[in-house]
Every structure is written in C-alpha cells, then in structure tokens.
Amino acid sequence: MQAKKRYLILLSAGACLVLLFYLGGVQLPAASRSRHDRSRSGYRPDQPWPHFSDPLQPFLPRDETDTEEYNLHISPRQKRDVNTSVYKGKRCRMDSCFDFSLCQRNGFKVYVYPQQKGEKISESYQNILSTIEGSRFYTSDPGQACLFVLSLDTLDRDQLSPQYVHNLKTKVQNLPLWNDGRNHLIFNLYSGTWPDYTEDLGFDIGQAMLAKASISTENFRPNFDVSIPLFSKDHPRTGGERGYLKYNSIPPFRKYMLVFKGKRYLTGIGSDTRNALYHVHNAEDVVLLTTCKHGKDWHKHKDARCDKDNAEYDKYDYKEMLHNSTFCLVPRGRRLGSFRFLEALQAACVPVMLSNGWELPFSEIIDWNTAAVIGDERLLLQIPTTVHSIHQDKILSLRQQTQFLWEAYFSSVEKIVLTTLEIIQDRVLEHSSRSSLMWNSHPGGLFVLPQYSGDLGDFPFYYATLGIKPYPKFTAVIHAVSPLVSQSQPILKLLVAVAKSQYCAQIIVLWNCDKPLPAKHRWPATSVPVIVIEGENKVMSSRFMPYETMVTDAVLSLDEDTVLSTTEVDFAFTVWQSFPERIVGYPARSHFWDSNKERWGYTSKWTNDYSMVLTGAAIYHRYYHYLYTNYLPTSLKSMVDQLANCEDILMNFLVSAVTKLPPIKVTQKKQYKETMMGQSTRASRWADPDHFAQRQTCMNKFASWFGAMPLVHSQMRLDPVLFKDQVSILRKKYRDIERL
C-alpha cells in the first residue's frame, strides 16, 4: 500500500512538472539565441578586443541598481511600461511596417508637415527641416510622398530641457496623415531624463522609423532605424569645416598617444567608466582628464579625488590636446553617444570607442573598423597597451579614413540628414542601392547616385581601384546659339578640326538657337557621325543634360566659337585619361576673397594661378552631366537659365565639391584670348559689363548653397614632352601646338 502511494505521489509530481514546462512556467537555459548582427555596429571578430556574442545592455552601474534611491525613481514595472509604449513596434522592419507602394508612383519623395502656429522649433530641428525642403527629395504634395517628417520638434525629449515640447503624444495622434507612424521618420538627439536616461521619447512612435542619436543595439531595429551622431546646436547647417589632417606624415605619431578631457560623473549612469580613467592617466603620452565641476550641487557629491582631478584638468587646453593626439578616447556620457565622437573625427584623432551597446552612427553603411578602435568598458586597463600595439601604417590609414568620413557624412547638419535619407532610399530602391565600397571610399555615397549605374566601372572615381581605364574615345558636344548663315563660321571649322581627332567617336551639336535647325547638307561631311539635337527649352543647363546618345565616358564640351586645332584636342584628351575624375581644358579662371566687399570675387586675368577651367573648351566624365541634372537644386539651374550665364562656373563648383581637387589646365594658348575676342558672339558677351557682374553674383550664390567655397587653387599646367625645348620639331609628338 505504501509503495502504491509513493508511486502516485511521484506520478503526480512528474505530471505537474510536465505541465509547468508546457505552460512556460519554467524555462530551460537556451543553448543558443538569435542575435542582432553586431558587425553593422562596428564590432568585428578580428578586432583587438575580446568579442562578446551577447548584445550588451545599456550600461548601468551595479551599485546604483540596488540602491533605494534608484528604485524610487523607476520600478521594474515602470521600465516594462516604458519599453512597451515606446517600442510597441520593436519588431518593425521595412517589409512589415513600411508601405512601398507609396514610393512606386513618384519615386523617393519626402514630405514635411507644415509648421503649426505657436509651436516652438529649435534651431537644430529647423536646420534639419530646411535641409529636407532644399533637397532633391522634397515634395510639397503629401499625395506624392514616400516618406513623411514631422514639423513638431522631436529632437530633445528630455523633460528637464527648455526645448521639450509638451503634449506631443496628442499632437502627433491628431495628425491626419499619421497612420500609426507608417512611412514616417522621427529625428531625435536626446531621450529620457535624469537620473535614468531611458530611450523613452514620451509618445508612442507606432510604426515610424527613428533617426536617433545614442541608440542602443538592444533597441535599434536593423535596416529600419538609422543611428545618427549626436551634434551640437552650433553644428553648421551646410558645408562645414574640412578635417584637420594637413600632412600625411610617417610615422604619424603626435605629441600624445591617447587623450580625453570631460566631465566626471560622481553618481548615476555613466559614472563608473569616467571615474576609473585616472587608473590609466600617466600625464605623459596618456592624458585622461576629468572634472567634478558640473551641476549645481556637485559639492554635495564631492569625493577625495575631486580637488586633485580639477587641478589637473585646468592645466591642459582641450583643443591643443585634440589636435596633437593620435587617439582620442570617446567614453559614454549619461547617454551612449558623446560630442567627443565628431570632435575626434574632425581632428583626425582616431576615436577609441568606449560605450558598450552603442549602435555607432550610420552603422548600416560605414565600416567603422577602418576609422576607429572599438573598445570595451570592461577592459579599460588594456586600452594603452592596445593602442600602442597598432602599427604606424594602420594609424595613418585610420586617420585618413576619419577625414573622409567627416567630410563625406558628418561635417554639417545637411550631410547628416541627406545621409539618413539616402540610406532609407537605398532600402526602398534596393535593386539600385549603393555598394559598401561606394559608401566607404571617396567621394562617398552622397555623390555616387546609384540610379546612374550599379556598375562601379561607370564612375570616374573607381578606375584606379578597379585597375581599369576609361573608354579611349570621346564625344564632343558643341553648344550652338547662333544661326548658321555662312560656311566660314567658327562652328563649322571647329567641327571639322574635332572630327579629325583620332580619339573622336561622335559629335553632338546642341542646337539652342531660336532659328530652325539647318538642313543636313549645311553641315560639313566628316568621318565620325554628327548628331544634331534641339536643346530642351533652349536653356543653358541643357548643355549638361545626360543625353542617351553619348556612347563614351569622356565629354569634350565646346562653345560654338571656340578655336581649337586637332592637335590640341588630342593632347587634352590624353591628359584627361590620366585624370578622369577632373575637368581638363584650356581657358582658365580664378576666384578670390574680396575683403573690402566681404564676398567672393571672379577674375579672368591671365596669371599662373587658377581654380576653374571653363567648359567652353574642356573634357570631363559624362557622369557629371547626370550629377549636374539630378543632384543640383532647381534654384541654381534656374538662375543659370535666366541669366544665360554661369553654367560653366556651376559645373566647376560641382566637380571640385565632389573631388576636393582643382581642375587641370593644359598647354597655355596665348592666342586664345585674342582669338576669342575677335568673334562677334563672344566679344559681345565679354564686353558687356553686366556679364562680368552676373558671374560675381553667381559665385556667391553658388558658394552659399554649397555651404563653403569648394573651388581649389592650382598653379599646375601640363604641357607635351619637349614643349618649347630647342630641339627638332620632328622629335615632338604634338608638333602644331607651338605654332598656333
């Protein structure tokens, strides 16, 4: 009987255990779980730091989680409620929370809600909205939009901030196009508040995407959200300063090996890491400085080290340290992101990231292992050894990449916003998205439009990388604005001279004249095809349209009254083949800063210095036609068309902005100016004082849109071998150039 009872008891206990397992009351340890691919956030197996497979939780000091004060502020239930309300769409991805059909009709267009009366908007958020409204993505018609951006300021969601917008939840829900946030993009720099600094935005974002600073890998939704950098209110809206790397010296070491200067948080989140920096500081090549002097009541939390730390802190100038250090420590602040990140990038100081669980900015497209050292807060004491072990060649490579990334994606609010939009566009138009090489090498994703081509070999920037050369022929495009009344007109002589070039594949005559097209027999017979195209709307910008009839990489752009010989054309083309990303040509001009008028000036004086090569006689890659037409705003092209002037200046601005290099002038042709002044159409333009004044105005208008002056001065001129040497003319390849 006793045995039977024991049997029944064991059977009942076993049944209860099975039932508990079935209902999930007891969980067995999982052997493996699916994890977010951290390679996108900059973590790689080959990094010099131990690789942890589990995603790190937002850092919280252990001693704080157990204190009565901390539990007073937020309970486990409150934490769950926050995560539930803010990240209700945590599983959102493009295929589940984005309506692609909105983008099929009109392409990738972005609509910004109209600003509501009485709503305050910070300067930073206004810069974001202005950038979108001035971009090629913008549409004022919500019916054409693929993506929607709120006019309500969502940048600062810290309840203690004066920029905090109240009642945002109600205001957002009342928007007629909100649709639970579907196809919406929300920008945010600061979330949560003291002392916990959660990622709560204070309203339900629904199915909206986040472009967020300081976002954690735990809350980041891969290929849906975009991690952006934390930038200050003083960050320039457009342009921005270039990086500070002036000399690619070997060895690339500076005065300091590793530096940091910032606040030391005495209590609360983020305090553990900064409080431990003094262990690594040696006041020689590793200078890590912190101060307790911040906050109104810092004296209340003052510890025994504060006076010493404050005194050491005041000895060093931050900018001097920043510009004279090889590595810059970027520890987390109260939030995961830090202003130190962008400061280090600009200063060519290799960032040493020390913020566990931070999804690095633009991690979807940028390979941060090529520009930063990804550290671990738990291995702080190993940092000096790690950075000292990095080879000088690697250091130089890292520093160079910091400069490229800074100038390509981070130097202005405009670049940060446009990079965000381009990333989302690549997801929407996945069939024509950019490759990793395009994003991580010069000139960067903003200047490489995938709609032009998905083949790297079609862009002039990658020839050297791919080990290929451009197609060995050119297409001449002659811009015609005068009626054809005589067989002795310069355009006909020019056409014959160009057609005789051994490198000429075809000639396109762009007819922008008000008179009807001449009959075919009026054009001279040539050995290459001559295609006459009537210009679109007869405007100046039509000379830079990406005409499908072009079959070559190179475009020889010519004014109708340009005087060039076949020899000059041949030589210019051979030079361009070595510099396919630049403008190569004959007539040069320059810009200067007029300190009296405080504006940019334009000069046509013949000097050794130049910054532009006019497109009246120049060769460049045909991709610039596509970029001119599709990248530049309508406002600048409309200005050019209304003035019937400055299109050559605008093209030079564009190419220099992309390449960061000057154009290339070939053999000086002293007769060029005198010959041109002898032609009626050109003489009338050059003699007109308004023509010169217009070009001055254009210079400043263009510089304003680009946010800085992109033109670069040069004194280099390329001549044929033996040019002007006292040797037999028979020994020279381009014999006719000297006799012109």
Side-chain angles (χ1 to χ4, degrees), residues 368-565:
W368 281 110
N369 278 323
T370 63
V373 176
I374 314 299
D376 190 304
E377 291 175 299
R378 294 167 292 192
L379 302 175
L380 172 64
L381 299 182
Q382 295 183 17
I383 288 180
T385 304
T386 300
V387 296
H388 276 103
S389 68
I390 299 176
H391 193 272
Q392 62 185 31
D393 292 346
K394 178 63 174 177
I395 291 174
L396 179 59
S397 175
L398 289 167
R399 292 180 64 195
Q400 289 173 332
Q401 192 68 358
T402 64
Q403 301 303 271
F404 160 68
L405 294 175
W406 163 259
E407 293 179 11
Y409 307 121
F410 297 106
S411 63
S412 68
V413 175
E414 178 186 52
K415 289 178 181 175
I416 294 171
V417 173
L418 291 180
T419 303
T420 302
L421 296 181
E422 294 281 7
I423 289 172
I424 298 173
Q425 182 187 219
D426 271 9
R427 298 173 188 164
V428 173
L429 308 176
E430 191 174 3
H431 62 283
S432 61
S433 60
R434 301 162 183 80
S435 67
S436 178
L437 178 61
M438 291 176 174
W439 284 112
N440 289 278
S441 61
H442 183 79
L446 299 188
F447 286 124
V448 179
L449 306 187
Q451 292 77 17
Y452 172 75
S453 175
D455 185 357
L456 289 173
D458 289 336
F459 296 91
F461 323 112
Y462 306 115
Y463 289 145
T465 303
L466 298 175
I468 61 176
K469 294 183 178 181
Y471 184 71
K473 297 279 186 178
F474 67 79
T475 296
V477 179
I478 303 176
H479 186 227
V481 294
S482 304
L484 197 60
V485 295
S486 167
Q487 292 300 307
S488 61
Q489 282 182 235
I491 187 173
L492 300 180
K493 296 179 181 178
L494 178 64
L495 198 150
V496 171
V498 171
K500 288 180 179 179
S501 170
Q502 59 181 313
Y503 304 112
C504 183
Q506 60 179 170
I507 298 175
I508 295 175
V509 177
L510 179 61
W511 191 256
N512 264 355
C513 179
D514 294 332
K515 302 295 182 181
L517 286 171
K520 287 185 178 180
H521 71 272
R522 301 287 303 277
W523 301 102
T526 59
S527 58
V528 297
V530 176
I531 305 166
V532 182
I533 299 176
E534 196 151 11
E536 186 177 318
N537 301 323
K538 311 286 187 181
V539 294
M540 295 298 287
S541 292
S542 63
R543 72 183 301 177
F544 298 136
M545 290 285 289
Y547 295 106
E548 293 182 0
T549 50
M550 293 180 185
V551 296
T552 63
D553 295 330
V555 176
L556 172 60
S557 177
L558 298 164
D559 285 341
E560 62 178 7
D561 47 7
T562 297
V563 178
L564 282 180
S565 69

Side-chain angles (χ1 to χ4, degrees), residues 11-28:
L11 186 63
S12 300
C16 289
L17 282 172
V18 170
L19 186 61
L20 283 170
F21 285 129
Y22 180 78
L23 295 176
V26 177
Q27 291 184 343
L28 293 173

Side-chain angles (χ1 to χ4, degrees), residues 682-698:
R682 183 64 62 87
S684 60
R685 289 177 63 191
W686 284 18
D688 184 2
D690 289 339
H691 177 78
F692 190 81
Q694 287 172 355
R695 293 173 82 78
Q696 298 267 21
T697 303
C698 288

